[in-house]
Amino acid sequence: MREVLQCSKSQLNQMQKTYAPFTVTTPNGAIFRAKKNGITITAYRSGKVMFQGNNTTAESKIWQPSAISKEPTNKSTESAGLPADFANWSVIGSDEVGTGSYFGPLTVAAVYVDNSHLEQVRQLGIQDSKKVTDPEIIRMAKQLITFLPYHVVNLMPTKYNQLMQHYNQGQLKALCHNLALQTVLNKISPTKPDGILIDQFVAPATYYRYLKGQPNIISQNVYFKIKGEQAHLAVAAASIIARYVSLIAMDQLTEQAKITLPIGAGNAVDQIAAKLLREGHSLDQFAKLHFANTAKAKKLAQRYH
């Protein structure tokens, strides 16, 4: 059997990470090749991904909700894997910030946007939080939280580091998304959303595998979409609120450190982390210790002793 999907660049990147443990020799013209459960998966630079073997449908179906054959040409175009009118549904959206930043918390927000509030949200100029300035995020978030049911799971570094002793980061994100969604569902009960949209950070099958054993797993009418903020305003609102809470947390940590903590995980981060160590601070209260920056900072700190 053979199945072929046309995928976006971001999805190819996610596939490559997911199938990394199963990779084999990559043929010319391909990005990667993997063999998993008797199925060979080959991804090409053109965006085509070929699934070959027995029961390929089950494996390829994992990716179909977010696989795309072409980019949407306008807002009314059907989002890949979502119903044509999904943007007009009453939806709980969830998104997270902070996963790629050494300093600061992991922050996950879930927000319910009833279709009666869509225009009100739209008028605020909501978009992906990465594309707006901090003052705009603060302005929009303060308005959103006055009329939208929401919940934020904000794991400050100390708690984050404790949990990372038992989970990987993907598992931890899945747990936080599930908790945030469950809390919002409880807040709006007995109202039920038309759908739930999670800003996709891992294949759906992997997401649910991460949640295995949890007492309450939200799975009814759940959709996954890379760049989910473009598919529904609920995810965009979640992105804004998560960023707002993260900004407040970073201000608190900066005050404790008495030095501005940069975002990201680049060289500037290593320098600041080393400075904190030289001043006798524990990085546990400021940073995600499993990042490679920790070892780099320790080397830098020792160099100046």
Side-chain angles (χ1 to χ4, degrees), residues 64-90:
Q64 285 173 351
S66 55
I68 61 172
S69 57
K70 61 179 181 179
E71 291 294 332
T73 55
N74 57 59
K75 292 183 180 179
S76 64
T77 303
E78 178 178 349
S79 295
L82 300 176
D85 62 341
F86 186 85
N88 296 317
W89 285 16
S90 297

Side-chain angles (χ1 to χ4, degrees), residues 2-303:
R2 188 176 80 166
E3 298 268 344
V4 178
L5 297 182
Q6 182 69 36
C7 301
S8 66
K9 184 177 180 180
S10 57
Q11 189 181 11
L12 286 175
N13 291 337
Q14 187 59 58
M15 283 182 166
Q16 191 166 16
K17 292 177 184 178
T18 300
Y19 291 122
F22 309 100
T23 52
V24 294
T25 302
T26 302
N28 291 334
I31 298 173
F32 71 86
R33 172 173 282 176
K35 289 192 176 181
K36 178 186 175 187
N37 300 331
I39 300 170
T40 300
I41 304 103
T42 309
Y44 297 93
R45 292 186 178 88
S46 63
K48 288 185 178 180
V49 181
M50 184 182 300
F51 297 78
Q52 294 172 291
N54 295 324
N55 196 23
T56 57
T57 301
E59 187 67 25
S60 65
K61 192 175 181 181
I62 294 172
W63 301 98
Q64 285 173 351
S66 55
I68 61 172
S69 57
K70 61 179 181 179
E71 291 294 332
T73 55
N74 57 59
K75 292 183 180 179
S76 64
T77 303
E78 178 178 349
S79 295
L82 300 176
D85 62 341
F86 186 85
N88 296 317
W89 285 16
S90 297
V91 167
I92 298 178
S94 64
D95 197 5
E96 85 282 333
V97 299
T99 56
S101 187
Y102 181 60
F103 290 119
L106 166 64
T107 310
V108 178
V111 182
Y112 177 57
V113 180
D114 183 272
N115 60 6
S116 65
H117 283 137
L118 285 171
E119 188 55 35
Q120 187 176 358
V121 173
R122 190 176 290 110
Q123 290 298 321
L124 292 176
I126 295 298
Q127 53 185 309
D128 183 5
S129 67
K130 300 178 186 67
K131 298 179 180 178
V132 295
T133 64
D134 290 353
E136 288 176 315
I137 286 169
I138 294 168
R139 174 186 62 81
M140 290 188 287
K142 284 184 174 180
Q143 293 179 71
L144 290 170
I145 62 178
T146 63
F147 66 94
L148 297 178
Y150 73 97
H151 184 72
V152 178
V153 179
N154 189 50
L155 295 182
M156 294 295 279
T158 301
K159 182 64 174 178
Y160 176 94
N161 292 322
Q162 290 173 357
L163 292 171
M164 282 297 292
Q165 295 177 30
H166 307 285
Y167 306 102
N168 64 42
Q169 194 185 62
Q171 288 173 306
L172 198 53
K173 287 197 287 185
L175 290 167
C176 290
H177 275 266
N178 191 65
L179 175 58
L181 292 169
Q182 177 66 69
T183 306
V184 175
L185 281 169
N186 291 341
K187 284 184 177 181
I188 67 174
S189 181
T191 299
K192 292 189 176 182
D194 298 327
I196 292 171
L197 182 60
I198 298 172
D199 190 66
Q200 185 174 333
F201 57 90
V202 72
T206 303
Y207 174 84
Y208 286 116
R209 188 173 74 246
Y210 284 160
L211 295 177
K212 189 174 181 181
Q214 294 301 307
N216 295 301
I217 299 175
I218 307 305
S219 60
Q220 187 174 1
N221 297 326
V222 174
Y223 299 83
F224 297 82
K225 185 78 173 69
I226 295 171
K227 295 185 177 179
E229 71 280 353
Q230 297 177 5
H232 200 281
L233 289 172
V235 176
S239 177
I240 293 294
I241 292 175
R243 181 68 63 186
Y244 170 63
V245 173
S246 179
L247 284 172
I248 294 173
M250 285 297 286
D251 285 346
Q252 293 171 349
L253 292 174
T254 290
E255 187 175 341
Q256 292 170 21
K258 294 181 172 54
I259 189 171
T260 300
L261 303 177
I263 61 171
N267 182 62
V269 165
D270 300 336
Q271 298 294 335
I272 296 298
K275 180 176 174 60
L276 289 172
L277 287 172
R278 292 195 298 271
E279 292 176 351
H281 292 287
S282 168
L283 291 179
D284 178 72
Q285 70 181 104
F286 301 110
K288 303 175 182 72
L289 297 182
H290 65 96
F291 278 44
N293 302 85
T294 300
K296 294 177 184 177
K298 288 179 178 179
K299 286 184 179 179
L300 284 171
Q302 291 171 357
R303 186 182 303 173

